[in-house]
Amino acid sequence: MCDRLLAEGHKVAGVDNFCTGSAQNLAHLTEHEHFEFYEQDVTQRFSLPDKFDAVLHMASPASPKDYLELPIETLDVGSAGTRNMLEIAGQNDAKFLLTSTSEAYGDPHVHPQVETYWGNVNPVGTRSCYDESKRFAEALTMAYHRKRGIKTSIARIFNTYGPRMKLNDGRVVPAFLDQALRGEPITVFGDGSQTRSFCYVSDLVDGLYRLMQADEPYPVNLGNPNEMTIRDFAETIVDLLQSASRIVYEPLPEDDPQQRQPDITKARQLLGWEPKVNLREGLERTIAYFRSNQSVTV
Ligand code: UDP
């Protein structure tokens, strides 16, 4: 996101406490004349010397492995963190963009998921720290929009992958690629019949960039509608890498959604946006990154 904003000629201030991210992903920007960085936990009140036209609140653990290890931090960043960032947007009369999630739909009964669907979320399950944090963040964003007149937008991001993910972050794309590259067994959870739809990172960033400039307060799905089962995905990876890995089956995590596919009609109409990078191309770029960065396992 920072790279795209800088490429479009904007000045950017990045804020992160690296509780799940890596400073290495920003190393190439350290000397950039239009980039500032503040190592800061956004759940704490803070102020920055700069003036802003837009505030993009993207901070949160996002991998199930990470948010299960950091449930309280995850709830804090969706609640206190969102509030702090909304305050900064208000002080600057800036546009506010919240990155929410397809997890707001929980284990959905409506398929594909449309923005008007309210979801099927377990409020006390192990994933609830993430789902409810993001749902609260959406509610808070709408309250600031209605009550304080802040220009806000909400992106509901579906599964996204690409270079700069951590190899060991637990999500299915890095997990399967790492296992296949090492020739280790590919761990499919459950029977692998659950579905996901994978969007390449540059497509997602393009959708966020367009939404940042749009005048739409209600949620907009951003993701790739190309749905597949996790079992098919495992086979695709084995084929692509000509890997010797075999597929093994492990228990399905609690409340793991059975199906997930974005309906992107709204994004198409509102933003003139749709994904361009197909799965094979996106995976090849991701594999090239992992091959040259196999030591990056923060
Ligand atoms: N998954 C899997 N093996 C793994 C990691 C994940 O089968 O090593 C499955 C997981 O159970 C889920 C899907 O892949 O059904 C996507 O999981 P991920 O953690 O990437 O994100 P989620 O979509 O659940 O937020």
Side-chain angles (χ1 to χ4, degrees):
M1 194 74 229
C2 293
D3 286 341
R4 173 67 188 269
L5 290 165
L6 290 166
E8 298 284 348
H10 301 288
K11 292 183 178 163
V12 178
V15 181
D16 202 328
N17 70 347
F18 298 122
C19 75
T20 61
S22 161
Q24 226 169 326
N25 287 339
L26 294 171
H28 63 293
L29 297 179
T30 331
E31 301 297 319
H32 198 295
E33 58 169 333
H34 290 157
F35 185 73
E36 298 291 332
F37 183 75
Y38 302 93
E39 188 160 346
Q40 169 71 44
D41 178 351
V42 299
T43 66
Q44 308 300 315
R45 284 308 262 280
F46 68 104
S47 59
L48 297 174
D50 321 81
K51 285 290 292 169
F52 300 103
D53 300 312
V55 173
L56 281 64
H57 179 37
M58 308 179 75
S60 180
S63 152
K65 183 178 158 206
D66 286 337
Y67 60 69
L68 295 180
E69 275 165 22
L70 300 167
I72 299 168
E73 291 83 349
T74 302
L75 283 156
D76 278 347
V77 78
S79 52
T82 302
R83 183 144 192 198
N84 289 337
M85 300 313 285
L86 278 160
E87 288 289 336
I88 290 176
Q91 286 152 16
N92 284 272
D93 198 17
K95 170 71 189 272
F96 178 85
L97 173 71
L98 172 71
T99 54
S100 184
T101 170
S102 56
E103 283 279 329
Y105 302 118
D107 190 6
H109 291 157
V110 168
H111 194 72
Q113 290 77 60
V114 278
E115 290 89 346
T116 46
Y117 175 50
W118 293 353
N120 174 41
V121 171
N122 176 352
V124 292
T126 48
R127 292 175 90 104
S128 65
C129 60
Y130 186 61
D131 302 9
E132 298 293 18
S133 172
K134 291 289 192 182
R135 285 164 68 99
F136 179 86
E138 291 192 7
L140 194 61
T141 300
M142 292 307 299
Y144 268 72
H145 172 70
R146 293 193 177 106
K147 204 71 189 163
R148 303 261 180 98
I150 296 180
K151 292 187 280 309
T152 58
S153 287
I154 298 171
R156 289 203 181 128
I157 299 178
F158 285 66
N159 294 64
T160 301
Y161 70 99
R164 299 189 185 151
M165 289 181 96
K166 286 184 294 188
L167 253 188
N168 63 347
D169 95 347
R171 278 179 284 191
V172 70
V173 176
F176 285 4
L177 288 180
D178 188 36
Q179 290 161 346
L181 285 168
R182 292 175 199 273
E184 289 172 1
I186 309 254
T187 54
V188 169
F189 298 160
D191 63 4
S193 65
Q194 72 273 31
T195 67
R196 293 295 186 271
S197 313
F198 298 106
C199 184
Y200 188 68
V201 61
S202 61
D203 282 331
L204 193 270
V205 165
D206 186 47
L208 292 174
Y209 186 69
R210 288 169 191 241
L211 185 56
M212 182 187 88
Q213 298 166 89
D215 189 17
E216 171 57 45
Y218 287 97
V220 180
N221 287 339
L222 293 177
N224 192 320
N226 178 23
E227 183 188 21
M228 64 198 306
T229 66
I230 293 300
R231 196 173 41 233
D232 284 349
F233 183 60
E235 281 163 9
T236 303
I237 301 267
V238 171
D239 280 356
L240 197 63
L241 287 169
Q242 299 283 293
S243 171
S245 294
R246 64 199 173 86
I247 294 174
V248 297
Y249 292 87
E250 293 190 354
L252 190 67
E254 182 185 330
D255 295 334
D256 198 286
Q258 183 54 37
Q259 49 184 3
R260 191 183 282 158
Q261 181 191 31
D263 181 321
I264 60 165
T265 309
K266 184 170 177 182
R268 279 198 175 104
Q269 287 169 355
L270 181 77
L271 311 173
W273 174 85
E274 63 182 8
K276 295 193 168 60
V277 181
N278 68 36
L279 185 66
R280 174 167 283 266
E281 205 181 326
L283 285 174
E284 276 166 2
R285 291 188 208 170
T286 310
I287 290 162
Y289 169 80
F290 282 150
R291 279 210 161 110
S292 57
N293 289 271
Q294 274 200 324
S295 58
V296 183
T297 51
V298 180

